Amino acid sequence: MISVEKALKTILVNFRPLGLEKINILEARKRVIGEDVFAQHNIPFADNSAMDGYAVCHVDTKGATQDKPLQLKIIEDIPAGKVALKKIKKGEAARIMTGAVIPEGADSVIRQEDTKKNGKTIIIYSSVNRGVNIRFAGEDVQKGELIVKKGSALRPADIGMLAALGKAFINVYQKPRVAIMSTGDELVDIETNPPLGKIINSNSYSLAAQVLECGGIPIMLGIAKDKKIDLQEKFKTALHADVIISSGGVSVGDFDFVKDVMGEIGNAMHFWQVAMRPGKPLAFGAIEGIPLFGLPGNPVSAMISFEQFVRPSLLKMQGHKKIFRQTAKAVCAQEIQKSAGFKHFVRALVKKEKEQYIAMVTGDQGSGILKSMVIANALIVMGENETRIKKGAQVTIQLLDDSLSQTESFHL
Ligand code: AMP
Ligand code: MG
């Protein structure tokens, strides 16, 4: 049996970022970009008006006051998207809309609200300085600037920036294809009404959802019987995947054959059993070179093992730098006791109260009690040697949700 930290280290050295693929930026949200993007042009492309008003040369506005207004001749109308045909000369102005390129000869814009129109002329009541109400070429992005860095996980603002730079297609790290197999003679498929003694295979579905949540592509292999030959045959169908996940069949039971298959020639078992609860019977190895996570069968054990080990691996394969869940400190709402020797991941509901997180245990912590996982939005992490957390003590939590707001409707 090895520690969680050792297990994680042993696992992660087996994974590196996959190759790149070219995709449309509309598909690129949350993907990791595999290239540096430099600006091919300035943004804005040219000096343009920040206001609806009149483009003028600031010198022509000198001395204008409420009592001594000045008049300028309107020589042209420049809507957004049109380019001026004339140059502004002394005593002249052009009507200009927000976003339109500043005409030659002008160096500032007077807001429409600060003028009065009088036929073909405008009356101005105050002077402006050079550059007023102009958005200058390159004030947002300079041509040649590194604007999206290789290795960034793309957010909507990045996508907008790529579009503004004219990049419709970019290279991103591929998504890992993850084959998911459940094992057990007791399992039936979701459409089947289970007879006594059988249960619905739910692990394949929770694991597929977890794979999707961290950007992978689940490939559903279905259920393998507790027979070595059945496992071998199912694993053969997974060899086009990047990663294989199985659940069940890794304990010490008479029909737990996953480890046996890992031990065969051409396959590998790097370790079996981790000092954690839930999730102790985890086995990690490979089938013909494809990494295999042999997760325990109990629904919560499978999910938490995925959280701790599979998720960071899949994120690493996609080029992510941030591969671990966010941790935080919370006040524990009740006393928790455990025996020494195992790291515990305790399902908890965390709420923010007066700027601090309060963590409440979500009920029965049995490794088959999926409901306490449904209610949980965090895991309280208790170290191997820790045996007791007092009510009101500070604990470390792993946040399972990006936001904690989804759980408002639950009351414990
Ligand atoms: P095992 O690790 O194969 O001994 O499985 C432990 C327990 O987990 C079984 O007794 C089942 O109750 C449960 N289990 C195993 N596989 C699944 C599955 N795919 N879906 C739901 N529960 C499962
Ligand atoms: Mg089993």
Side-chain angles (χ1 to χ4, degrees):
M1 191 155 64
I2 60 173
S3 69
V4 170
E5 292 70 28
K6 179 85 197 299
L8 197 54
K9 225 169 158 185
T10 310
I11 288 168
L12 286 177
V13 294
N14 289 277
F15 295 96
R16 58 201 89 259
L18 297 170
L20 300 178
E21 61 175 333
K22 197 163 231 172
I23 61 164
N24 189 293
I25 56 169
L26 270 177
E27 314 287 325
R29 194 182 71 95
K30 288 193 175 176
R31 301 293 294 272
V32 179
I33 190 162
E35 58 180 317
D36 283 330
V37 176
F38 295 91
Q40 298 297 314
H41 55 76
N42 283 332
I43 301 177
F45 195 75
D47 294 354
N48 65 84
S49 180
M51 291 284 169
D52 293 329
Y54 293 90
V56 297
C57 177
H58 80 285
V59 177
D60 287 348
T61 69
K62 278 230 168 97
T65 62
Q66 208 48 247
D67 300 334
K68 262 178 63 188
L70 288 174
Q71 284 205 16
L72 296 172
K73 188 176 160 204
I74 306 168
I75 58 159
E76 197 177 356
D77 225 337
I78 319 168
K82 288 271 174 1
V83 178
L85 300 170
K86 296 176 187 160
K87 189 178 162 180
I88 304 287
K89 297 200 283 289
K90 194 168 166 43
E92 293 178 348
R95 173 130 177 82
I96 193 163
M97 297 293 113
T98 305
V101 174
I102 302 295
E104 216 184 311
D107 62 9
S108 49
V109 172
I110 305 183
R111 294 193 312 165
Q112 181 166 315
E113 299 90 309
D114 298 337
T115 65
K116 209 182 220 173
K117 197 160 179 256
N118 182 14
K120 288 252 152 91
T121 63
I122 47 158
I123 305 167
I124 55 173
Y125 299 93
S126 59
S127 62
V128 287
N129 291 327
R130 185 200 297 269
V132 166
N133 294 326
I134 291 185
R135 303 190 290 217
F136 291 101
E139 75 173 22
D140 184 2
V141 172
Q142 292 270 321
K143 183 178 176 179
E145 193 178 331
L146 173 61
I147 207 68
V148 184
K149 217 168 161 189
K150 179 178 173 173
S152 316
L154 299 174
R155 299 167 308 140
D158 300 307
I159 308 287
M161 182 58 85
L162 290 165
L165 294 170
K167 286 278 276 186
F169 292 89
I170 51 161
N171 286 304
V172 296
Y173 292 99
Q174 287 165 20
K175 289 168 172 249
R177 290 156 304 156
V178 185
I180 299 170
M181 176 176 99
S182 285
T183 74
D185 284 349
E186 75 277 31
L187 301 178
V188 292
D189 213 358
I190 193 165
E191 282 94 8
T192 319
N193 204 0
L196 189 63
K198 305 277 184 190
I199 58 167
I200 291 177
N201 161 26
S202 61
N203 286 354
S204 288
Y205 296 88
S206 48
L207 292 169
Q210 286 181 297
V211 167
L212 284 168
E213 216 177 48
C214 56
I217 302 168
I219 301 164
M220 304 302 266
L221 298 186
I223 302 163
K225 292 272 177 221
D226 284 325
K227 282 193 202 77
K228 221 162 145 185
I229 180 83
D230 218 45
L231 290 174
Q232 285 162 327
E233 274 172 13
K234 267 271 181 328
F235 278 135
K236 269 199 195 111
T237 67
L239 296 179
H240 62 292
D242 299 305
V243 180
I244 309 171
I245 302 177
S246 66
S247 78
V250 282
S251 293
V252 290
D254 293 343
F255 301 98
D256 291 339
F257 294 125
V258 172
K259 296 190 305 292
D260 294 2
V261 177
M262 286 170 127
E264 285 167 358
I265 295 168
N267 300 339
M269 187 160 85
H270 301 316
F271 66 78
W272 175 52
Q273 292 189 327
V274 182
M276 67 186 269
R277 285 211 171 108
K280 176 187 163 196
L282 174 75
F284 176 70
I287 302 287
E288 296 190 29
I290 315 284
L292 165 65
F293 290 90
L295 306 183
N298 275 305
V300 180
S301 310
M303 285 193 76
I304 288 184
S305 306
F306 183 103
E307 266 293 326
Q308 303 308 317
F309 304 112
V310 188
R311 184 177 183 275
S313 307
L314 297 185
L315 292 178
K316 190 174 174 193
M317 292 173 95
Q318 293 167 83
H320 282 280
K321 297 202 177 82
K322 205 178 146 225
I323 61 172
F324 299 116
R325 288 285 193 194
Q326 206 182 325
T327 59
K329 293 281 179 206
V331 173
C332 199
Q334 70 239 76
E335 167 151 340
I336 309 174
Q337 290 194 12
K338 74 169 188 63
S339 50
F342 289 84
K343 191 169 190 172
H344 279 216
F345 295 94
V346 182
R347 283 147 265 171
L349 177 63
V350 173
K351 288 183 176 180
K352 204 163 192 183
E353 276 174 23
K354 295 187 194 133
E355 295 309 306
Q356 75 181 0
Y357 288 130
I358 311 285
M360 288 162 283
V361 177
T362 57
D364 190 340
Q365 294 291 307
S367 54
I369 308 293
L370 195 51
K371 195 171 82 184
S372 52
M373 190 68 183
V374 170
I375 301 169
N377 60 0
L379 300 171
I380 297 171
V381 184
M382 282 182 83
E384 270 184 41
N385 299 321
E386 226 175 327
T387 54
R388 182 175 172 216
I389 296 172
K390 285 191 199 142
K391 181 178 173 176
Q394 274 229 328
V395 283
T396 299
I397 52 168
Q398 273 181 11
L399 300 174
L400 298 177
D401 287 345
D402 289 339
S403 109
L404 297 178
S405 58
Q406 296 166 12
T407 52
E408 287 307 305
S409 56
F410 287 105
H411 294 284
L412 292 176

